[in-house]
Amino acid sequence: MVRKHILIVEDEEEIQELVRYNLTKEGYAVTCLESGEEALQRTARERPDLVVLDLMLPGVDGLEVCRQLKSHPATRDIPIIMLTAKSEEADIVTGLELGSDDYITKPFSPRVLTARIRAALRRNVPAEAEDAQVIRSHNLVIHPGRHEVLVDDEPVGLTPTEFRVLHTLAARPGWVFTRGQIADAVHGGELVVTERSVDVHIVGLRKKLGEASQWIETVRGVGYRFKE
Ligand code: CA
């Protein structure tokens, strides 16, 4: 199993060492940073699995780091656990509103921190697994978990059957599917799709996809395929 990489952003050396010692013992790969500037650069570059972020930092403070990480697509899915002092209650609220995943007030027990980290990493897994199934092809994004299709980043409203037809084709670009195969693939639950109705769904699908409909090709005498 690949070791999870935790980035610790904390300017107090004592806390840095305490956290580093305990997380390394738990089997995590740990990087310690002392400033918000460094945190912003290295998080975007290294894509750690989680960031432990102190709020009181010299220069760019923790809240600003949190705001920037959570507003960039490349870093917004990385869980953040804030380290705060009890007196920073207003900051805790702001941090959570900015998208921080959890917080711990100082002084804290290392066991509580590792438990919170484990929990945050666990929560983040479905999103990761789901993301792996997302199909990005040409100007289309097909998101099976959300049943969502984007054309040039704009959502397109498809019926459940149209969605399944598109997903079936796009999952294997270049592969020619017969109408029977498409009907079988999209058939599910109470949904009955006949070979003939596949053509009707394709017509509806193409209409809604607009220019992106060019990626669905008719293969004469056989069926359909998603262009490679
Ligand atoms: Ca600090």
Side-chain angles (χ1 to χ4, degrees):
M1 216 176 119
V2 183
R3 285 205 297 167
K4 295 279 185 186
H5 180 201
I6 314 282
L7 204 68
I8 298 161
V9 192
E10 166 64 87
D11 58 317
E12 282 157 79
E13 213 174 303
E14 237 171 80
I15 295 178
Q16 217 185 66
E17 282 314 311
L18 177 76
V19 174
R20 184 208 292 274
Y21 173 78
N22 283 283
L23 292 185
T24 308
K25 211 173 64 184
E26 291 283 321
Y28 295 109
V30 178
T31 305
C32 291
L33 304 175
E34 286 169 16
S35 75
E37 286 88 345
E38 258 186 313
L40 289 171
Q41 285 168 10
R42 304 251 323 240
T43 306
R45 205 167 59 217
E46 296 175 22
R47 309 283 300 274
D49 295 292
L50 184 140
V51 177
V52 176
L53 179 65
D54 183 33
L55 286 193
M56 296 290 273
L57 295 167
V60 180
D61 70 15
L63 283 179
E64 179 57 20
V65 172
C66 181
R67 193 189 64 74
Q68 290 200 31
L69 292 181
K70 288 298 179 185
S71 62
H72 285 101
T75 53
R76 71 172 163 223
D77 292 329
I78 300 171
I80 295 177
I81 296 180
M82 300 183 292
L83 292 182
T84 70
K86 269 230 165 64
S87 57
E88 296 167 341
E89 205 171 45
D91 291 342
I92 295 172
V93 173
T94 308
L96 291 172
E97 281 170 357
L98 288 173
S100 157
D101 299 79
D102 203 353
Y103 69 91
I104 290 185
T105 51
K106 296 177 188 175
F108 57 89
S109 106
R111 286 182 59 194
V112 171
L113 177 63
T114 51
R116 298 282 184 88
I117 288 175
R118 263 200 304 275
L121 288 173
R122 235 185 353 252
R123 280 197 299 272
N124 211 33
V125 166
E128 253 176 39
E130 202 178 82
D131 203 48
Q133 296 167 0
V134 174
I135 298 170
R136 293 181 172 82
S137 194
H138 310 291
N139 56 344
L140 274 171
V141 179
I142 303 163
H143 204 303
R146 294 185 207 147
H147 247 252
E148 184 182 73
V149 173
L150 305 176
V151 175
D152 293 323
D153 296 326
E154 289 294 323
V156 180
L158 301 181
T159 66
T161 306
E162 287 165 352
F163 180 87
R164 290 191 197 185
V165 171
L166 177 63
H167 184 255
T168 301
L169 295 175
R172 297 186 77 176
W175 189 268
V176 182
F177 288 85
T178 65
R179 289 171 178 79
Q181 285 172 327
I182 296 172
D184 286 345
V186 303
H187 180 87
E190 303 147 44
L191 217 60
V192 178
V193 182
T194 61
E195 290 192 26
R196 278 193 69 95
S197 72
V198 166
D199 292 328
V200 177
H201 293 300
I202 293 271
V203 169
L205 186 55
R206 281 180 167 154
K207 206 176 277 174
K208 290 175 183 170
L209 289 178
E211 252 191 79
S213 64
Q214 61 180 303
W215 311 124
I216 298 172
E217 297 179 315
T218 305
V219 182
R220 264 182 213 294
V222 189
Y224 298 95
R225 80 173 153 222
F226 192 84
K227 201 172 176 173
E228 272 183 292

